[in-house]
């Protein structure tokens, strides 16, 4: 069995800590992966490279696969987000973020099972901002027919593959009549054209968020544009224990980059306090992706064993501080490895 060449981007802040812990677990589980480490973000700048080096992009294009730690984005100034650039350059148009309750992680609800589908390349995060005159700036929200249909198509296909029953679109088309209006029309067209077996509904995003915190069980798959998807992902993470437990996949036609929903968490970086589980769950998504797209049974086997091991660890009370436990980053990885 030939291992799959995979780009590993440790990232910034807690990135190298969680990436190191996840790599340990993947090695112990005999995951069929050969990692090629590449830099991005502040780590790349510190090494005298561009913030998103061409070599990193080219390596992902070549291997089609990456596991990525978070990259720091400066607030209110500085370079364009590496995460946004990467998604645009590689056309990773679909962010898929499963949000599920975990045994052993006590929260208000114990039956959350949602998937967030976020359009990843345009919307307000297109990053087109202009100074018009001193004191006046504009930020352009971009919505195209092609990108809206593309994300809708991928979302409904995903529902069909996974037996998901319902898609709810969060929008604000009452105010942003053109941009969100176009997004809504495109999703409805795609639904009506070929996916009428899947239920489809729409919610104005503010009311939708209220419903989401009141009763998440009424939702199944949530589909939305870029900015809304970013915010709602963190909100949904709060329903199941926080950012330490929500993984993600960024999918394109040719490449897939797997990364946790969380950022570089500078407040806890370098202290071995970070929960590596969100990135580990992202790695499990990557292994399952290898199974689905390349028919790799060994990947599926490793994914199942890792999933079982981290669920067992949580069940046994082996948790990092964000979940109320006292383990550090590596100790949690060791607890998972013991249970493989
Ligand atoms: P970004 O804008 O880059 O997405 P953010 O501003 O949303 O980042 P994060 O870096 O995700 O912020 O951190 C938000 C909070 O969640 C911080 O208090 C951080 O310590 C905590 N946090 C994030 N990830 C983890 C993790 N893996 N383990 C423990 N705590 C985490």
């Amino acid at each position: 069995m030939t291992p799959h060449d995979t780009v590993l981007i440790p990232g910034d802040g807690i990135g190298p800590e969680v990436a190191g812990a996840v790599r340990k677990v993947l090695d112990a589980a005999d995951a069929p992966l050969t990692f090629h480490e590449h830099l991005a973000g502040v780590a790349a700048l510190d090494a005298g490279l561009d913030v998103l080096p061409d070599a990193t992009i080219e390596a992902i294009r070549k291997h089609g696969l990456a596991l990525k730690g978070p990259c720091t984005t400066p607030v209110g100034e500085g370079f364009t987000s590496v995460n946004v650039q990467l998604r645009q350059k590689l056309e990773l148009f679909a962010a898929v973020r499963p949000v599920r309750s975990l045994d052993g992680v006590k929260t208000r609800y114990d039956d959350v099972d949602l998937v967030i589908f976020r359009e990843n390349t345009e919307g307000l995060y297109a990053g087109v901002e202009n100074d018009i005159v001193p004191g006046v700036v504009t930020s352009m929200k971009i919505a195209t027919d092609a990108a809206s249909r593309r994300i809708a198509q991928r979302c409904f296909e995903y529902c069909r593959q996974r037996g998901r029953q319902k898609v709810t679109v969060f929008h604000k088309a009452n105010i942003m009549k053109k941009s969100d209006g176009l997004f809504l029309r495109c999703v409805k067209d795609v639904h009506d054209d070929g996916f009428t077996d899947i239920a489809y509904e729409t919610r104005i995003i503010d009311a939708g968020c209220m419903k989401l915190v009141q009763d998440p069980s009424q939702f199944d798959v949530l589909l939305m544009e870029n900015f809304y998807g970013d915010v709602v992902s963190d909100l949904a993470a709060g329903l199941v224990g926080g950012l330490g437990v929500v993984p993600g996949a960024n999918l394109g036609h040719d490449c897939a980059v797997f990364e946790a929903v969380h950022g570089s968490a500078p407040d806890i970086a370098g202290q071995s306090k970070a929960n590596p589980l969100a990135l580990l769950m992202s790695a499990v998504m990557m292994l399952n992706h290898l199974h689905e797209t390349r028919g790799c049974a060994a990947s599926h086997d490793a994914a199942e064993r890792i999933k079982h091991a981290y669920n067992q660890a949580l069940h046994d009370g082996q948790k990092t501080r964000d979940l109320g436990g006292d383990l550090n980053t590596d100790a949690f990885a060791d607890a998972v490895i013991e249970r493989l």
Side-chain angles (χ1 to χ4, degrees), residues 14 18 71 73 83 230 234 243-244 261-268 273-276 278 322:
I14 59 170
V18 292
C71 291
T73 306
N83 310 315
D230 191 12
D234 278 31
L243 289 166
V261 167
H262 64 70
S264 58
D267 54 330
I268 55 166
K273 286 183 182 165
N275 188 349
D322 54 312

Side-chain angles (χ1 to χ4, degrees), residues 14 49 56 63 66 80-81 83 101 153 166 174 208 254 300 320 326 333:
I14 59 170
L49 304 169
T56 302
H63 302 308
T80 306
S81 160
N83 310 315
S101 301
Q153 181 78 24
K166 181 171 78 171
N174 51 337
D254 305 317
H300 181 63
T320 44
D326 59 3

Side-chain angles (χ1 to χ4, degrees), residues 72-308:
T72 300
T73 306
V75 176
E77 57 178 16
F79 58 82
T80 306
S81 160
V82 168
N83 310 315
V84 170
Q85 283 191 59
L86 197 65
R87 293 165 193 164
Q88 289 177 343
K89 286 188 175 166
L90 295 170
E91 280 205 80
L92 302 168
F93 62 87
V96 185
R97 296 164 161 193
V99 180
R100 290 198 190 97
S101 301
L102 292 159
D103 187 20
V105 180
K106 181 101 196 75
T107 59
R108 183 181 292 263
Y109 306 102
D110 54 16
D111 57 351
V112 178
D113 182 9
L114 303 167
V115 181
I116 294 169
F117 251 80
R118 164 183 174 187
E119 202 292 321
N120 232 0
T121 61
E122 50 182 38
L124 262 183
Y125 283 9
V128 186
E129 294 195 309
N130 288 298
D131 291 296
I132 304 302
V133 291
V136 180
V137 297
T138 59
S139 190
M140 198 182 290
K141 173 157 167 161
I142 298 179
T144 65
D145 189 278
S148 304
R149 285 175 193 278
R150 176 171 73 172
I151 185 74
Q153 181 78 24
R154 181 61 77 95
C155 178
F156 286 118
E157 281 168 0
Y158 175 94
C159 291
R160 203 172 267 163
Q161 281 158 7
R162 311 282 170 131
R164 292 271 172 178
Q165 314 276 320
K166 181 171 78 171
V167 171
T168 306
V169 183
F170 276 12
H171 69 91
K172 195 75 190 176
N174 51 337
I175 306 293
M176 282 166 275
K177 296 175 196 292
K178 287 192 182 290
S179 52
D180 281 13
L182 179 140
F183 188 79
L184 270 185
R185 271 196 310 283
C186 290
V187 178
K188 182 158 184 348
D189 275 0
V190 171
H191 172 262
D192 293 353
D193 273 357
F195 296 96
T196 47
D197 50 318
I198 296 155
Y200 161 81
E201 63 177 18
T202 62
R203 285 260 188 284
I204 292 183
I205 185 164
D206 36 3
C209 285
M210 188 269 291
K211 295 262 181 223
L212 193 54
V213 294
Q214 267 186 337
D215 176 17
S217 71
Q218 61 186 274
F219 297 106
D220 186 355
V221 174
L222 298 171
L223 170 62
M224 61 202 85
E225 65 91 67
N226 209 342
F227 169 56
Y228 304 155
D230 191 12
V231 176
V232 174
S233 296
D234 278 31
L235 183 156
L239 299 172
V240 295
L243 289 166
V245 298
V246 180
N250 299 295
L251 306 175
H253 289 303
D254 305 317
C255 300
V257 175
F258 295 80
E259 65 179 334
V261 167
H262 64 70
S264 58
D267 54 330
I268 55 166
Q271 301 168 45
S272 201
K273 286 183 182 165
N275 188 349
L277 185 50
L279 188 64
L280 183 61
M281 293 165 121
S282 308
V284 166
M285 288 178 79
M286 183 171 82
L287 291 166
N288 284 327
H289 172 83
L290 284 171
H291 178 228
E292 281 160 24
T293 57
R294 302 185 192 174
C296 178
S299 293
H300 181 63
D301 179 57
E304 285 299 299
R305 284 186 301 118
I306 294 170
K307 218 161 96 180
H308 170 81

